[in-house]
Amino acid sequence: HISAISSTLKDFIGEIDQIPPMFSAVHVNGKRLHQLARLGLEVERSKRKVNIFKLELLRTYLDEAEKFHFCFSVTCSRGTYIRTLVEDIGVKLGCGATVYELCRTAIGNCKLEQSLNFDEIEKMSKAADWSFIQEPLNFLKDMPSYQLHAEDVKKILIPREYGGAVY
């Protein structure tokens, strides 16, 4: 099992095509897919390119019912659907696969290990320790930035006056 899984995971590293799942926020003909899915409809979806930068097998085990499980870590581009990735891996393995547990460990430069739980925040707050408060721009430093002129800002803030749509 392990060598087949490891080999299959390697096949998914790099640029791959993914078809967004029906339960997603992708728009098709002006409607979000999850809205259509809730109506019992399934529509054709276009493939999208995503990048899998790292895909690492962490462990394998049998549960109480003797079902085989494997855990992996993935580093991927935005727009990657992990549940779809797992389903595609299962198809390639010839046995099917589904997500049992999913945990996002990072998004941009925000890492899970830097986070605090509510009890920690409450304890620090009661002690008037505000060191956990971060400058909001710290979370955006890896994002591209754009310089806007005053007229552009008006178009964004008051779109109807400039012939734009409001969402």
Side-chain angles (χ1 to χ4, degrees):
H1 291 304
I2 294 172
S3 64
I5 293 168
S6 295
S7 175
T8 299
L9 293 181
K10 287 178 187 172
D11 292 342
F12 284 88
I13 295 174
E15 187 177 75
I16 63 170
D17 288 325
Q18 264 197 344
I19 298 173
M22 280 301 300
F23 281 93
S24 67
V26 173
H27 282 89
V28 173
N29 298 327
K31 290 276 190 189
R32 292 188 184 264
L33 287 174
H34 65 81
Q35 293 170 320
L36 298 172
R38 285 187 177 90
L39 295 172
L41 302 173
E42 182 156 348
V43 296
E44 191 170 327
R45 284 111 47 213
S46 300
K47 292 181 180 180
R48 295 173 165 220
K49 300 272 187 208
V50 296
N51 279 293
I52 307 298
F53 305 113
K54 183 178 173 189
L55 195 52
E56 179 183 4
L57 182 63
L58 300 176
R59 67 182 172 20
T60 63
Y61 65 95
L62 289 175
D63 66 13
E64 312 82 44
E66 298 290 311
K67 289 184 180 175
F68 184 78
H69 294 254
F70 66 92
C71 302
F72 65 88
S73 172
V74 61
T75 304
C76 57
S77 64
R78 64 183 294 273
T80 303
Y81 292 94
I82 300 301
R83 285 173 168 57
T84 300
L85 176 64
V86 169
E87 290 170 7
D88 293 345
I89 290 168
V91 167
K92 181 116 181 172
L93 287 169
C95 62
T98 188
V99 173
Y100 177 74
E101 184 177 339
L102 180 62
C103 177
R104 184 182 296 244
T105 58
I107 183 165
N109 63 352
C110 301
K111 310 289 185 243
L112 182 63
E113 60 268 10
Q114 299 168 322
S115 63
L116 300 173
N117 64 38
F118 289 118
D119 291 336
E120 292 168 318
I121 293 171
E122 184 177 44
K123 182 179 176 184
M124 292 174 79
S125 298
K126 285 181 179 177
D129 176 0
W130 308 110
S131 61
F132 63 89
I133 297 176
Q134 298 286 314
E135 175 67 41
L137 292 178
N138 288 344
F139 300 104
L140 302 175
K141 65 183 174 189
D142 292 337
M143 303 287 288
S145 64
Y146 303 94
Q147 186 72 37
L148 295 177
H149 300 285
E151 196 63 22
D152 296 325
V153 173
K154 288 179 188 174
K155 288 178 184 177
I156 293 168
L157 296 177
I158 318 169
R160 286 180 202 226
E161 290 183 21
Y162 293 89
V166 176
Y167 298 99

